[in-house]
Amino acid sequence: MARIAVIGAGLGAMAAAARLAVAGHHVVVRESTQTYGGAVGRFERDGFVFDTGPGLLTLPAVYRDLFVKTGKEPLEKCVDLVQVDPAARHVFADGTDLRLPNASRAGVVAALNAALGPGAGDRWGDFLVRAREAWDRTRRPLLEEPLWPDWTVLAEREPYPSVPHRRLLRTRRATTLAEVGAWELRDPRLTALLESHALAYGLDPRTVPASAAVLAYMEHAFGTWYVRGGLRELARAVYERCLARKVEFVFGTEVTGIVEKDGRAAGVELADGSVAEADFVVAGVAPEMLDRGARRSAVRSEGEVPAQRGATSRLTVLLALRGGRPEGAAHRTVVHAQDRDAELDLLFGSSPRTVARPTVTVLRPDDPALVPGPGHEAVTVTCAVPAREPDAIEGYAQRLITSAERAVPDLRERLLWHEVRTPADIARTTGAPTGAIPAPALAAAGGRWLHPSNSTATPGLFTVGGWSHPGGGLPHAGMSGALVAGLIVEGPGFRGSQ
């Protein structure tokens, strides 16, 4: 039985802890805050309850696998997991209103043809076929296997089979997601639909590789899911599974260093100067924190994928409304920006311009557990923002509310109060200095969207969570936990789940 020190209590770290405990190891999780879950947080006031992190789940099979491998009770016995239908409502800049059914290619094609005109849905359906091919080519190396030692193979090859595009005297293929939209979808609303999947992860569609098409495919193929009581209930279930497997949690404890002995990780140093010895250390923290905590100047070997430092964060406005949720209201509505180029320049460039109506996601769960009574509604509005505290934060929040009125027309008349969660709040709960949010790993583009491997240059030290392979997002966090547990239990020859 090995002693394992886990730094942080995010979803990826807890997923690793539960699996390692089942394998017979003594696992202690140390978390600097007073609770578990990392970015999967909760805010409560006056009987209203809100998720402050992700509000929906894709690829629930990752957590089903975790619960199957760590105990007798499956995931569905521990949380009430339901499919969201429609998967999303989209309100475009020109006023087009679209509802997309959940996990139905024929239904999506029909809905797009009806709302956007004949042929639009067929082009989207053909795109999904190509996106599936990219998914099939990248699923194992980017989700289910440790990062390949020869990771440059993933960096050089574009897995998305783009359609040849004739332009002047040249024939080109799309290399970015924006080019996929412009050349293959050929409708600004379809392009906005495609690019919204990248924006949800803080990715610039103008520079992110065409392989980001897998983000749209994941939602289409595996559906969109909600956990009754909010996504925080998923974090609770994973935490309780850890406790049932005898994982020990120590909250309010800051880890300030990685202890090394004979060239390998041998424990962690705590803020009070004490040392907790361990045979392995699993770090579920942002790269800046790991750099500070390691005694060596570099945790990574030369030639490895460099650690990403995210450029974008998230602004969230929590809205307590009087009056019940209207029957038939969509759980999720994406309200698209009026000025796409201005929004992208603000997020990813140096433009000082503000965006009057940014792209926002409006979540309206049909969940009595989130409100003080039937005459109320809890609504969450989010948008991507630069990974720094936005100027005039209340004014920015009001712009989000203005955009959200296109999804909830009587929003301001019904508003009781609102709370704003900023990048600084994310920084406090996750440790990422600017509140940056990690994106999922993607192939191609020279490896710029890959994340460092879970193994490090320091033997016995592993990384888990959104800032390491396979990157950000709830499914990816769960997979990182499985990969780290496999590398520790089975050793460097571990090749992923079969």
Side-chain angles (χ1 to χ4, degrees):
M1 180 178 71
R3 300 165 300 173
I4 300 178
V6 178
I7 308 172
L11 265 293
M14 291 197 295
R19 291 175 181 271
L20 289 166
V22 166
H25 300 298
H26 178 241
V27 184
V28 180
V29 178
R30 290 178 172 83
E31 165 62 43
S32 61
T33 70
Q34 295 296 329
T35 189
Y36 55 85
V40 186
R42 171 178 284 171
F43 177 83
E44 299 182 42
R45 176 181 161 187
D46 300 339
F48 290 89
V49 180
F50 302 89
D51 282 321
T52 57
L56 293 170
L57 176 67
T58 56
L59 207 59
V62 172
Y63 289 93
R64 290 190 178 111
D65 181 72
L66 170 65
F67 277 74
V68 166
K69 300 290 178 57
T70 59
K72 295 180 180 179
E73 288 189 324
L75 176 63
E76 278 81 356
K77 287 286 186 180
C78 301
V79 298
D80 188 1
L81 189 64
V82 294
Q83 269 194 304
V84 174
D85 200 13
R89 173 190 175 201
H90 289 264
V91 180
F92 296 101
D94 68 350
T96 302
D97 200 315
L98 167 71
R99 288 174 178 249
L100 294 178
N102 202 339
S104 169
R105 181 179 182 275
V108 166
V109 168
L112 286 167
N113 280 333
L116 275 60
D122 300 282
R123 291 195 299 275
W124 183 262
D126 292 342
F127 157 75
L128 288 176
V129 172
R130 294 188 292 274
R132 176 179 180 174
E133 188 170 336
W135 167 260
D136 290 340
R137 291 173 177 175
T138 61
R139 175 178 59 86
R140 283 198 61 81
L142 288 183
L143 283 180
E144 298 176 358
E145 298 177 346
L147 187 66
W148 293 351
D150 183 19
W151 58 267
T152 56
V153 174
L154 297 173
E156 295 165 356
R157 295 178 180 173
E158 172 52 71
Y160 178 78
S162 55
V163 177
H165 173 71
R166 184 77 175 177
R167 189 174 186 181
L168 298 178
L169 299 179
R170 298 177 59 193
T171 298
R172 296 185 57 194
R173 293 179 181 269
T175 59
T176 68
L177 200 66
E179 289 176 341
V180 171
W183 299 348
E184 299 180 12
L185 299 179
R186 305 191 308 278
D187 184 305
R189 295 162 297 183
L190 285 179
T191 298
L193 172 61
L194 173 64
E195 293 182 350
S196 68
H197 293 279
L199 286 175
Y201 289 102
L203 296 170
D204 186 348
R206 301 169 302 183
T207 58
V208 77
S211 64
V214 299
L215 302 177
Y217 176 76
M218 281 176 58
E219 181 175 307
H220 160 76
F222 306 109
T224 303
W225 299 77
Y226 174 68
V227 177
R228 296 284 185 192
L231 262 289
R232 176 69 177 178
E233 286 298 292
L234 176 64
R236 175 200 53 77
V238 176
Y239 171 68
E240 291 181 354
R241 177 55 55 91
C242 286
L243 293 179
R245 302 280 76 82
K246 309 303 182 184
V247 175
E248 181 181 347
F249 285 81
V250 183
F251 294 107
T253 301
E254 183 181 359
V255 174
T256 57
I258 309 296
V259 176
E260 294 183 32
K261 184 178 180 180
D262 299 329
R264 64 171 287 121
V268 294
E269 183 178 297
L270 307 180
D272 62 6
S274 64
V275 170
E277 296 182 348
D279 301 298
F280 297 93
V281 176
V282 177
V285 294
E288 294 88 348
M289 298 180 68
L290 185 59
D291 292 344
R292 292 198 303 267
R295 291 187 180 276
R296 294 184 181 183
S297 59
V299 176
R300 303 292 172 187
S301 299
E302 184 178 354
E304 285 196 1
V305 175
Q308 290 192 22
R309 268 68 173 177
T312 61
S313 184
R314 184 177 295 119
L315 186 67
T316 302
V317 182
L318 314 175
L319 304 168
L321 304 185
R322 65 171 62 88
R325 179 181 184 270
E327 185 176 353
H331 187 120
R332 175 178 57 163
T333 300
V334 180
V335 180
H336 295 269
Q338 297 288 321
D339 189 336
R340 166 196 181 263
D341 293 334
E343 179 171 50
L344 297 182
D345 288 344
L346 171 68
L347 287 173
F348 308 107
S350 56
S351 171
R353 292 188 294 172
T354 59
V355 179
R357 293 186 178 181
T359 297
V360 300
T361 298
V362 182
L363 297 181
R364 308 179 70 182
D366 184 10
D367 190 346
L370 305 186
V371 293
H376 300 84
E377 184 178 6
V379 175
T380 302
V381 184
T382 63
C383 78
V385 294
R388 61 180 186 273
E389 197 70 15
D391 297 332
I393 189 69
E394 182 57 33
Y396 209 105
Q398 290 299 325
R399 287 197 285 275
L400 263 68
I401 294 174
T402 298
S403 292
E405 285 184 287
R406 299 185 69 202
V408 189
D410 57 353
L411 190 157
R412 290 190 186 273
E413 290 75 19
R414 297 173 56 199
L415 184 61
L416 294 171
W417 50 262
H418 72 275
E419 288 278 345
V420 181
R421 313 300 287 179
T422 72
D425 295 312
I426 295 174
R428 281 191 290 271
T429 56
T430 67
T434 58
I437 296 175
L442 297 169
R448 291 195 300 276
W449 279 270
L450 294 175
H451 288 265
S453 63
N454 307 104
S455 304
T456 72
T458 303
L461 174 62
F462 298 84
T463 60
V464 71
W467 295 105
S468 57
H469 180 74
L474 285 178
H476 303 74
M479 286 304 305
S480 74
L483 293 174
V484 167
L487 288 166
I488 291 176
V489 172
E490 300 187 26
F494 175 67
R495 290 295 177 263
S497 59
Q498 300 299 322

